[in-house]
Amino acid sequence: MNRMLPRMAPALAAAQLMRVHSAGVAFPVALGALIALAGAAASAVAGVPWTRVASVAFMPLYSLAVGMGAVALLSGDALVELHGSTPIGVRAVWTTRLALLALAAAAGALVMFAPLHALGVVYGDIGWASALSPVGGAVALALAAYAAVAVLESPRAAAFFVVFAWMVLSFFWDPNLAGDPVLQRAVPLAVALTAAAGAWLSLGSPERACAKAVGAR
Amino acid sequence: MRFLRMALVHARIAARQRALWAASAALCLLSLAVMVNGGMPFESGDVFDLAFFAQVLAMLPPIAYAAACTDLASSPARLGIGEVEKAAPVASVVLAAARVTGTLAVVLLPSLALLLFCGFGQLAHGNLLGPLQALAMFVLVVAPAALLAAAMSALAGAALPRAFARIAAAAAWLVVLALTSFVGVPEAGGGVHLEIASDPALQALFGLPPVLNENVAWTVAPASPLAAFASVAGRVAFAVVLLAAAGALSRARGRRR
């Protein structure tokens, strides 16, 4: 492992934060607040039972937005060779960026969940443990985007893959496990972490990283 | 002939990415898996199941096309080869159309293959026109929907910054789906039940009921052939307009740089 990395970590995080602050950090939190506002307005206009059923359609959109934003921010960077030529390396930069995106996604999911939970319009709500569902979903899709960008060859293929993962998660996995948020999120997070670990290993070779979607393709 | 050769070049570029084939095939198989509770379209002789599958293929995979094709119109300006394209002896509209056609042809091949497979399955179960019906459904329902999703994506990619284009295009396609594909059927005890509306072209050609649920008895006049033609032609025309706007917008922005 790079011996300089612990000393450079705060500067690395600050540089990546400057790179992604508007679309990667502010946008997920703002989107979470917007969905919460829309849910509150719908429950005031159309009543709580209808909004609870409609929340099944609106809450997965947050994780899709997080996944698409992660694909857009992690792919197509023209400076990949530059990162690879410094002692820090491509892998540390991309993992820092992913960590910031995942943290912002989790924060935005909590911002979205808390007002809707207080109003009682979350479908299959079993208390604060249900927060694991939007938070885990957003983080899993961010990890899937990281894995897709590091392994596939173009941002278009990475976007295809992330939408496919979102569809499997939202249309097939979630509705069948609606009352058990721990199992509902444990398996997707385990799969996403495994994929991200494989991507982390693959990014260790800068030549291979420059040929994938992390570069300017 | 020249247009076909240009489209073939773009198709070959898109076909080189094995990940696109895998993801596209996976999306089509996912659309098939949606029907696993009802009847699978290749093990029944009913054209209704084939039409249901064609409509699911026109609703779900285009979410991915909308999210993925944001660089269709803006790639020459972004890559800096806009001037090279303008210097070519071909109109830039034709170049853009060849790029869209070539890429979409590769992306839609798994859908066509799976739909034809279901058509031949129906042939084995008594529906003698199965493969022809599958081909007609692909041309009338699946391909225009994919073209419209790709056109929305190209416009979002040309108009918005790269970080927001994919989300905006996917959200726009989901809004279009919510507004056009669902219809409220009045229930016996009052209240309204949401059902998937069947495509007007399929209603006129194959005599489908107005909603994709055989258990709902809703007496509404089926779509006339004029409405069917208007729906298909309107979608293609709207997609062409969006693609032209995306091309013009990306050329104007490229000039300002």
Side-chain angles (χ1 to χ4, degrees), chain B:
Chain B
M1 215 50 228
R2 193 163 53 172
F3 178 79
L4 280 178
R5 253 186 292 147
M6 284 195 294
L8 195 63
V9 166
H10 283 287
R12 262 190 287 206
I13 297 175
R16 255 188 254 145
Q17 297 179 12
R18 282 184 296 273
L20 264 186
W21 289 108
S24 193
L27 280 170
C28 299
L29 287 173
L30 196 75
S31 313
L32 193 60
V34 166
M35 302 182 60
V36 85
N37 280 333
M40 285 297 222
F42 51 82
E43 54 189 25
S44 88
D46 196 357
V47 72
F48 178 84
D49 295 325
L50 198 61
F52 195 99
F53 180 48
Q55 282 204 234
V56 174
L57 272 183
M59 291 203 297
L60 287 187
I63 306 177
Y65 306 156
C69 298
T70 48
D71 55 349
L72 270 187
S74 57
S75 57
R78 282 229 166 88
L79 294 173
I81 59 172
E83 286 91 355
V84 177
E85 285 211 340
K86 263 186 262 194
V90 185
S92 47
V93 184
V94 177
L95 283 173
R99 187 166 51 236
V100 171
T101 315
T103 315
L104 272 186
V106 164
V107 159
L108 282 177
L109 266 179
S111 305
L112 178 63
L114 205 54
L115 205 50
L116 277 178
F117 170 74
C118 292
F120 279 108
Q122 293 226 330
L123 181 67
H125 285 269
N127 183 4
L128 291 177
L129 292 174
L132 283 179
Q133 288 174 339
L135 197 60
M137 287 180 197
F138 177 78
V139 168
L140 291 175
V141 177
V142 179
L147 187 64
L148 189 57
M152 279 190 200
S153 182
L155 185 60
L160 298 171
R162 219 166 21 167
F164 304 110
R166 298 187 192 273
I167 313 165
W173 176 252
L174 287 170
V175 165
V176 164
L177 272 189
L179 289 178
T180 61
S181 297
F182 292 98
V183 73
V185 174
E187 258 179 352
V192 163
H193 194 56
L194 271 183
E195 294 284 349
I196 306 177
S198 36
D199 194 81
L202 298 184
Q203 276 185 45
L205 266 185
F206 304 120
L208 288 181
V211 291
L212 280 185
N213 188 349
E214 285 170 319
N215 303 325
V216 166
W218 193 37
T219 48
V220 163
S224 65
L226 188 64
F229 175 75
S231 123
V232 174
R235 254 181 263 181
V236 174
F238 190 45
V240 167
V241 163
L242 285 179
L243 280 171
L249 195 60
S250 85
R251 275 193 297 275
R253 286 189 155 191
R255 229 181 287 137
R256 248 191 280 136
R257 232 181 336 117

Side-chain angles (χ1 to χ4, degrees), chain A residues 113 117 122-132 177-182:
Chain A
F113 179 80
H117 171 69
V122 177
Y123 191 81
D125 199 352
I126 61 171
W128 279 103
S130 290
L132 193 56
L177 287 170
D180 187 2
V182 176

